[in-house]
């Protein structure tokens, strides 16, 4: 058992920490949030230069070759600085999804473009009315000559409008709700028939509603195996969940530090308010919640790479459930302990709290994951297929 | 023991219900029920309708233009208005400074201000809190120095709700720096249009402009605007705070929110079924509902004691704590109910008249902002920590 970072991991943590200290202060972030595109191309370039955009990419493909723990290190730092960069969709989700089931051509083409910062991706998995269910896929894809024709709508696609390429789940067979029959496609947002509506989300990010109206994509836009994408979607989302859990820990640490500082400096009744025992105990509870969250983020980071799907599901959902709860407590109490100041847009506190609330909503809230945790073993765990089984036989 | 309304009370309820149904504009109730933005005119519209009817101040004595109703009748009116989606009344005049003026004010103050409060001609705001004086209000520093027949006021108030609309502000100011700090405080009525007053917006985390900083620079206030005696402001303020706290339970409004929550949960789908059929979520709704049922009876018990001649005491703190906790729980569950569609932040769409295509269901739009905004209720009006201190000291003697 070893909870220490390796020298390489330590260097990664120092590098991103230093970079964000300099380039992502709260004031800089405020400007980025208010900018037209809602993220910072300069920061993105800087992250590329530091190799951060290749953290989960295999070493033989030119990446850092990192796993869940390396992603956790990066996400914690991004959380502490309330980053709104499209890191989650592009690096954590798209790069690992392509890495898991992409063809050699797809990897050779995309991974270098992701790593050098010239391409951003977004994953469009959710649909209106589907809440958090990944198999609620009503968008359809049918084959027509050498093309796939896609029709449907995708909801709340994080960074959907700044993406140069979308990864879209669509049904190639079966009925909405079926686990079988879901496929993944690359869709160029500039393609005829792709409609988009961008909007800000309350936590300073951007998202989009995307519609697909007879969108024609080429045959090699299929990612992985036709009809068998759910396991890789689930893996990709689990990686995203482990990542946002780490991000939440970064947010909670920053909130707790700010609140502790406030308890020591804000005076009422002639003493720092941190002298009132009820606030001391509250702060202690906030810290305990954060420690528990950190433990679970760590567990999720390690187990997200576990080949045992049930193990992975249980750990990831347990982490998300606990962090949903602890994030809510820490967020609400951080505002409460700051009094009126906690309610302002001016202080960072409210912004951290909003991000924590949004994290609970992303990829399933605490209740959703409580259920997924409890039923992890009963839910089928199909293998992740990169190539059709039929082709294996031919080999 | 009888928890039912008497036949007269039932008849009165029917009368109120019919009136509210006939006179509350549909556009307005839609805004209220669906958590859309209310502007100054919206509040005034409803207040004027009640004024015309003579029901704007059910709790005020008849001699000052109120109805002089007992607690049960007041409760019925509040209940019917809230259920129908009437906007809340702006309390600063009607529930706060009004009772202070008719209890402690001079005949001239009563004659001048009370009718204008009833008719909504003056919009009042509350100038208590300062940057350095929140929970410890008695430490406030805004100075009022007597110069001939004026007070000259200097200092800063903060968190002043809706001061941007206000014509008048009632302020706690320091008129003496010697002796006990509570005894150096006076209660002044100040015209917001006076030279030397600056109002600066404070934007809250939900993006709203609801609170302000109010700066006073050599503001000259006629001495006849002092309420009661110099140095007795703290007593008047405490009188007023207990009034503020009985209103703060908000049971009737919470009942309306609960109904809305259930309606949302019935429309949202989860795993192909209505969310309200998800036992995990339904239990959470039921638990808040049970808390709310209990609070309603607790409120009625306090009101009954009040009718029997007991002044609202520290029990009001219980109502404030439980009432605000329930309000927050409801706002939290509503945000949770709509899942991913809580995320879009599009304030322009939170209107009855949005013509463009909406993102997500119409009811979902404002819910996250409302959740964040509702964090205030456990902070203002005496924070819930302070309320617990009051209960432990004043009721439990700890
Ligand atoms: C949206 C909003 C609207 C408002 N509107 C108005 C208005 O119109 N007019 C007006 O005058 N004021 C208004 N207020 C101000 C409000 O009354 C104060 O925010 C409140 O009194 C708390 O003061 P504070 O913000 O300075 O917090 P602080 O007093 O600094 O409190 C910070 C934290 O310490 C806790 N604390 C403080 N003292 C103790 C203690 N002795 N024991 C235990 N815990 C303690 C508090 O509970 C809180 O959690 C408003 C506030 C808000 C947020």
């Amino acid at each position: 058992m070893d909870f220490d970072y390796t020298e390489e991991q330590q260097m990664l943590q120092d590098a991103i920490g230093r970079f964000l200290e300099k380039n992502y202060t709260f004031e800089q972030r405020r400007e980025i949030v208010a900018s037209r595109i809602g993220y910072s191309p300069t920061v993105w370039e800087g992250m590329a230069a530091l190799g951060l955009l290749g953290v989960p990419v295999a070493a033989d493909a030119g990446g850092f070759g990192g796993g869940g723990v390396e992603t956790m290190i990066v996400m914690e730092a991004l959380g502490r600085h309330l980053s709104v960069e499209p890191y989650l969709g592009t690096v954590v989700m798209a790069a690992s999804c392509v890495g898991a089931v992409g063809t050699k051509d797809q990897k050779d083409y995309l991974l270098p473009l992701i790593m050098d910062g010239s391409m951003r991706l977004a994953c469009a998995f959710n649909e209106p009315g589907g809440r958090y269910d990944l198999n609620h896929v009503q968008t359809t894809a049918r084959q027509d000559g050498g093309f796939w024709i896609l029709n449907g709508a995708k909801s709340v696609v994080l960074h959907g409008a700044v993406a140069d390429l979308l990864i879209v789940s669509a049904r190639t067979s079966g009925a909405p709700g079926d686990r079988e029959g879901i496929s993944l496609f690359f869709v160029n947002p500039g393609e005829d028939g792709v409609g988009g509506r961008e909007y800000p989300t309350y936590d300073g990010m951007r998202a989009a509603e995307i519609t697909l109206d007879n969108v024609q994509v080429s045959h090699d836009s299929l990612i992985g195996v036709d009809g068998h994408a759910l396991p890789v979607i689930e893996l990709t989302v689990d990686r995203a969940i482990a990542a946002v859990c780490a991000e939440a820990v970064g947010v909670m640490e920053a909130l707790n530090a700010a609140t502790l500082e406030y308890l020591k400096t804000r005076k009422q009744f002639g003493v720092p308010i941190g002298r009132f025992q009820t606030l001391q105990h509250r702060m202690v509870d906030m810290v305990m919640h954060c420690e528990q969250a950190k433990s679970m983020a760590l567990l999720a980071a390690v187990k997200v790479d576990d080949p045992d799907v049930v193990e992975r599901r249980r750990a990831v959902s347990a982490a998300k459930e606990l962090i949903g709860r602890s994030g809510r407590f820490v967020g609400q109490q951080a505002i409460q302990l700051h009094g009126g100041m906690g309610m302002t847009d001016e202080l960072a506190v409210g912004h951290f709290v909003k991000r924590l609330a949004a994290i609970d909503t992303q990829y399933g809230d605490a209740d959703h994951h409580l259920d997924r945790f409890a039923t992890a073993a009963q839910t089928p765990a199909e293998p992740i297929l990169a190539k059709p089984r039929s082709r294996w036989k031919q080999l | 023991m009888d928890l039912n309304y008497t036949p007269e009370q039932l008849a009165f309820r029917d009368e109120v219900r019919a009136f509210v149904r006939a006179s509350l504009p549909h556009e307005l109730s839609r805004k209220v029920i669906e958590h859309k933005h209310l502007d100054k005119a919206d509040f005034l519209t409803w207040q004027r309708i009640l004024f015309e009817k003579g029901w704007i101040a059910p709790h005020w004595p008849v001699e000052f233009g109120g109805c002089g109703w007992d607690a049960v009748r007041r409760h019925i009116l509040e209940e019917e208005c809230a259920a129908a989606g009437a906007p809340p009344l702006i309390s600063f005049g009607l529930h706060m400074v009004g009772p202070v003026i008719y209890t402690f004010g001079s005949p001239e103050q009563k004659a001048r201000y009370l009718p204008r409060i009833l008719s909504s001609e003056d919009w009042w705001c509350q100038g208590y809190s300062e940057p350095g004086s929140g929970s410890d209000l008695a430490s406030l520093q805004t100075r009022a120095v007597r110069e001939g027949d004026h007070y000259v006021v200097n200092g800063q108030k903060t968190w002043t709700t809706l001061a941007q609309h206000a014509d008048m502000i009632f302020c706690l100011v320091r008129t003496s720096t010697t002796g006990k700090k509570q005894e150096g405080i006076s209660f002044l009525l100040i015209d917001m249009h006076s030279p030397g007053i600056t109002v600066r917006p404070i934007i809250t985390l939900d993006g709203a402009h609801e609170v302000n900083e109010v700066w006073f620079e050599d503001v000259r206030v006629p001495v006849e605007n002092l309420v009661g005696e110099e140095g007795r402001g703290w007593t008047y303020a405490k009188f007023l705070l207990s009034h503020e706290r009985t209103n703060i339970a908000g049971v009737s409004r919470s009942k309306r929110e609960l109904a809305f929550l259930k309606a949302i949960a019935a429309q949202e789908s989860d795993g192909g079924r209505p969310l309200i059929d998800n036992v995990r979520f339904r239990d959470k709704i039921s638990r808040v509902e049970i808390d709310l049922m209990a609070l309603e009876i607790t409120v009625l018990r306090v009101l009954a004691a009040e009718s029997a001649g007991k002044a609202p005491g520290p029990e009001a703190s219980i109502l404030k704590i439980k009432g605000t906790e329930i309000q927050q729980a409801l706002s939290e569950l509503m945000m949770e109910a709509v899942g991913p569609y809580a995320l879009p932040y599009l304030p322009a769409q939170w209107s009855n008249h949005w013509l463009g295509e909406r993102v997500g269901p119409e009811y979902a739009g404002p819910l996250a902002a409302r959740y964040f905004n509702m964090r205030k209720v456990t902070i203002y009006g005496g924070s819930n920590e302070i309320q617990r201190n009051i209960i432990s000291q004043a009721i439990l003697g700890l």
Side-chain angles (χ1 to χ4, degrees), chain A residues 131 197 209 268 332 336 354, chain B residues 132 205 337 341 357 371 378:
Chain A
R131 208 169 169 81
R197 206 152 154 228
E209 299 298 287
Q268 288 290 277
Q332 293 177 346
Q336 184 68 23
K354 287 192 276 186
Chain B
L205 76 166
Y341 276 122
E357 212 181 310
Y371 164 76
T378 47

Side-chain angles (χ1 to χ4, degrees), chain A residues 127-144:
Chain A
E127 301 195 356
R131 208 169 169 81
Y132 304 119
D133 288 336
L134 297 169
N135 45 337
H136 176 95
V137 177
Q138 288 182 301
T139 297
T140 57
R142 64 183 162 78
Q143 253 171 318
D144 186 2

Side-chain angles (χ1 to χ4, degrees), chain B residues 79-388:
Chain B
E79 185 86 2
E80 293 301 320
C81 290
L89 303 182
I90 299 295
S91 334
F92 304 113
L94 290 163
H95 302 113
M96 298 186 187
V97 77
V100 169
I101 291 175
Y102 67 63
T103 312
F104 305 106
S106 66
E108 295 73 25
Q109 287 167 348
K110 290 177 194 166
R112 174 165 175 80
Y113 295 116
L114 297 180
R116 296 165 68 92
I117 290 173
L118 294 172
S119 66
S120 299
E121 195 166 336
D122 289 335
W123 184 296
W124 284 81
C125 64
Q126 178 187 28
Y128 279 20
S129 308
E130 298 181 5
S133 308
S135 298
D136 180 15
L137 191 56
S139 68
L140 61 93
Q141 312 237 315
T142 296
R143 285 283 283 151
V145 177
R146 178 86 184 250
E147 271 180 26
D149 47 12
H150 282 86
Y151 284 103
V152 178
V153 179
N154 278 288
Q156 188 205 336
K157 295 294 175 182
T158 192
W159 314 122
T160 324
T161 299
L162 299 179
Q164 70 266 38
H165 302 323
D167 304 296
M168 293 293 297
I169 182 169
F170 56 95
C171 278
L172 291 182
V173 293
R174 185 158 298 288
T175 40
S176 160
T177 49
T178 54
K180 261 190 86 183
K181 56 185 179 177
Q182 283 83 354
E183 286 161 10
I185 294 173
S186 301
F187 198 106
L188 266 190
L189 312 177
I190 304 179
D191 186 335
M192 283 294 281
H193 311 292
S194 315
I197 294 185
T198 312
V199 178
R200 294 199 191 125
I202 299 174
I203 303 301
T204 42
L205 76 166
D206 54 322
H209 173 200
E210 198 174 286
V211 285
N212 302 272
E213 295 177 343
V214 182
W215 297 73
F216 299 85
E217 207 182 348
D218 290 331
V219 177
R220 296 180 70 78
V221 182
V223 285
E224 57 263 28
N225 283 20
L226 175 75
V227 173
E229 294 167 41
E230 209 179 90
R232 303 263 302 154
W234 189 251
T235 319
Y236 311 146
K238 275 174 63 179
F239 164 87
L240 180 161
L241 279 180
S242 62
H243 273 252
E244 188 182 351
R245 280 169 198 158
T246 27
N247 289 314
I248 222 157
V251 168
S252 313
R253 255 174 294 142
S254 287
K255 282 190 189 171
R256 182 184 72 222
E257 298 297 344
L258 175 71
F260 195 72
L261 168 63
K262 287 182 181 175
I264 296 176
Q267 283 189 56
E268 287 289 314
S269 75
D270 176 40
R273 290 173 44 208
L275 179 63
I276 202 159
D277 292 343
N278 175 332
V279 176
R280 193 163 283 135
F281 196 75
R282 197 178 57 200
D283 283 355
K284 294 203 267 195
I285 300 180
S286 300
R287 226 166 265 133
V288 183
E289 182 165 4
I290 292 167
D291 272 340
L292 185 55
M293 286 166 74
L295 181 63
E296 182 172 20
I297 302 295
T298 309
V299 168
L300 291 170
R301 282 170 54 208
V302 172
L303 289 179
E306 204 184 310
S307 304
K310 251 185 94 213
E315 297 78 17
S317 294
I318 300 178
L319 306 185
K320 200 270 175 172
I321 294 172
K322 294 312 295 179
T324 52
E325 286 177 356
I326 289 169
Q327 290 160 30
Q328 290 184 336
L330 286 166
S331 75
E332 190 172 319
L333 286 178
M334 273 187 232
M335 176 174 76
E336 204 176 309
V338 299
Y341 276 122
L343 282 165
Y345 180 76
L346 293 161
Q349 297 194 5
W350 308 340
S351 133
N352 286 347
H353 304 291
W354 176 257
L355 294 175
E357 212 181 310
R358 287 182 194 275
V359 172
E362 185 172 350
Y363 55 74
L367 295 180
R370 184 158 182 284
Y371 164 76
F372 296 119
N373 182 275
M374 288 302 282
R375 304 315 308 167
K376 70 188 177 190
V377 300
T378 47
I379 295 171
Y380 68 21
S383 76
N384 283 20
E385 286 78 16
I386 294 297
Q387 304 293 348
R388 285 189 163 86

